[in-house]
Amino acid sequence: MKEETALREGQANDALHAIRVHLGDKAVIFRNTIRSAKSQASSTRAWTQVRSVEMVVNLNARIYSKCRLQLAKLPDHDLLKKYLPLKKEHLKANAAVADPNARGQRDATLAWFWSINVQGDTSGNDWMTEFYRVNWLRTKALCDRWNEEVILVKHEMQWSVNFFTYKAKQWLSLMDNATYTGLTGHACYAARQCHIYRQLAAHAAESFRK
């Protein structure tokens, strides 16, 4: 069983490797050939290339899916957590593959299988090496940006509590002034506003602690 599991894992890796390489080729064809085609003949040739690449991608996707079904029948492994199901939308080539440096892709994410470590992906493929380098940097930048967002949100939460506390103290001061000058109505209104802001501060502090 262990030998078959290892063979199925290797088969899945080979299929995913082929899918990634050909999706990259498809994206490059779209970027470099179809968009720059200036005649019907060149456009037809380019689309023929795209269809041939799609056939290879679909073939390897079927191989991978059958391989995953066989893995599901084998005992004593947790590879299905690593090798997730392939969906139709995962097999689309997008600009993030063809041109990782293109504008407007700051929050773009790739399918799960692009993050699996498969040996041989970068051998003989300079664009794959560049692809992994750029997407690693972009993912790290996205992670750093979200870490910064967490820090900012925590500060904003405390700023909200501080604002409500400040307004409560402000209305308390107005209440004291109104009481001192004998303006009972004003003092009651200020006391009510002070109570409201104290409640808001307490509710915000309690909510942010959860």
Side-chain angles (χ1 to χ4, degrees), residues 100-165:
N101 295 309
R103 296 180 60 185
Q105 300 186 75
R106 184 177 67 174
D107 297 321
T109 56
L110 298 171
W112 60 268
F113 55 80
W114 289 98
S115 61
I116 288 185
N117 182 24
V118 178
Q119 293 183 353
D121 265 354
T122 57
S123 60
N125 280 287
D126 292 338
W127 73 265
M128 284 289 286
T129 303
E130 179 68 14
F131 164 79
Y132 281 124
R133 183 183 298 114
V134 172
N135 276 277
W136 184 89
L137 292 172
R138 188 171 62 186
T139 303
K140 184 179 184 301
L142 183 63
C143 178
D144 292 342
R145 188 162 68 250
W146 279 110
N147 287 333
E148 293 174 359
E149 287 290 334
V150 171
I151 295 172
L152 286 174
V153 167
K154 289 182 178 179
H155 282 297
E156 289 172 354
M157 292 159 66
Q158 186 58 48
W159 294 338
S160 299
V161 176
N162 293 344
F163 172 76
F164 293 140
T165 303

Side-chain angles (χ1 to χ4, degrees), residues 48-120:
T48 302
Q49 289 179 319
V50 169
R51 283 190 288 271
S52 64
V53 171
E54 286 180 342
M55 290 177 59
V56 177
V57 169
N58 292 332
L59 173 62
N60 283 279
R62 290 194 296 270
I63 292 174
Y64 171 81
S65 297
K66 291 180 179 179
C67 178
R68 191 177 185 277
L69 288 175
Q70 294 301 318
L71 279 173
K73 298 177 182 179
L74 296 174
D76 302 328
H77 70 83
D78 57 351
L79 293 175
L80 295 182
K81 295 180 181 179
K82 176 182 178 182
Y83 298 103
L84 303 177
L86 273 181
K87 298 181 180 180
K88 187 175 181 180
E89 57 266 24
H90 294 159
L91 304 179
K92 294 181 180 179
N94 54 37
V97 178
D99 188 6
N101 295 309
R103 296 180 60 185
Q105 300 186 75
R106 184 177 67 174
D107 297 321
T109 56
L110 298 171
W112 60 268
F113 55 80
W114 289 98
S115 61
I116 288 185
N117 182 24
V118 178
Q119 293 183 353

Side-chain angles (χ1 to χ4, degrees), residues 18-30 53 57 93-94 97-98 114 127-128:
I19 289 172
R20 287 191 286 196
V21 171
H22 285 90
L23 282 179
D25 291 340
K26 180 181 175 181
V28 171
I29 292 172
F30 270 109
V53 171
V57 169
N94 54 37
V97 178
W114 289 98
W127 73 265
M128 284 289 286

Side-chain angles (χ1 to χ4, degrees), residues 26-52:
K26 180 181 175 181
V28 171
I29 292 172
F30 270 109
R31 187 187 67 179
N32 296 339
T33 307
I34 292 181
R35 291 181 183 177
S36 61
K38 297 182 179 179
S39 65
Q40 184 65 35
S42 59
S43 178
T44 301
R45 286 194 296 270
W47 278 107
T48 302
Q49 289 179 319
V50 169
R51 283 190 288 271
S52 64

